[in-house]
Amino acid sequence: MSIFTKIINREIAADIVYEDDICLAFRDIHPQAPVHVLLIPKVAVESLDQLSAEHRDLCSHLMLVIPKVAAHLGLTGGYRTVINTGPHGGQTVFHLHIHILGGRSLAWPPG
Ligand code: AMP
């Protein structure tokens, strides 16, 4: 079981900023920007590579929740979304998550 499933199950604490039946958003414990939130599905999918057609509605839902969470967090100047996948992508927690970063101007390209 990943640490994010434990957050969903309230077995470990997190600073939750959004929740519905399908997903949960909470502040990253090591923020890389003034606002750094992780949006996760409640169903345990390891990464983008584990998605299939059965997750179509889930993916749509997550995409539609991103701007809601960003607005709730006051990210009027814009924000960045990142999904790290696999070792070369820098993924460290194997429960699909979308980073939502903002609150300052972000550099590009990433390292
Ligand atoms: P990634 O490297 O893309 O897999 O991102 C995993 C993220 O999860 C990192 O930014 C971590 O700081 C964050 N993280 C790990 N454990 C926790 C936790 N208990 N609560 C909040 N964020 C966490």
Side-chain angles (χ1 to χ4, degrees):
M1 180 192 296
S2 84
I3 196 157
F4 292 172
T5 298
K6 291 185 179 173
I7 289 175
I8 294 166
N9 294 339
R10 306 307 204 263
E11 289 167 30
I12 63 168
D15 185 355
I16 293 168
V17 298
Y18 176 87
E19 181 170 24
D20 62 29
D21 289 348
I22 296 167
C23 63
L24 184 71
F26 53 91
R27 293 189 193 273
D28 196 293
I29 204 166
H30 294 124
Q32 302 301 314
V35 176
H36 186 173
V37 160
L38 303 173
L39 175 63
I40 65 170
K42 288 188 171 176
V43 63
V45 177
E46 279 187 20
S47 78
L48 284 182
D49 284 344
Q50 270 65 49
L51 288 174
S52 61
E54 73 185 82
H55 299 111
R56 194 177 302 275
D57 290 347
L58 170 66
C59 293
S60 301
H61 184 80
L62 292 172
M63 290 295 281
L64 293 169
V65 165
I66 291 167
K68 276 197 210 177
V69 171
H72 173 66
L73 296 170
L75 297 176
T76 53
Y79 53 91
R80 181 168 298 161
T81 48
V82 174
I83 304 175
N84 295 323
T85 304
H88 282 189
Q91 185 175 8
T92 59
V93 177
F94 289 86
H95 181 127
L96 180 65
H97 50 283
I98 302 169
H99 295 258
I100 303 172
L101 300 127
R104 65 170 166 83
S105 187
L106 298 163
W108 189 263

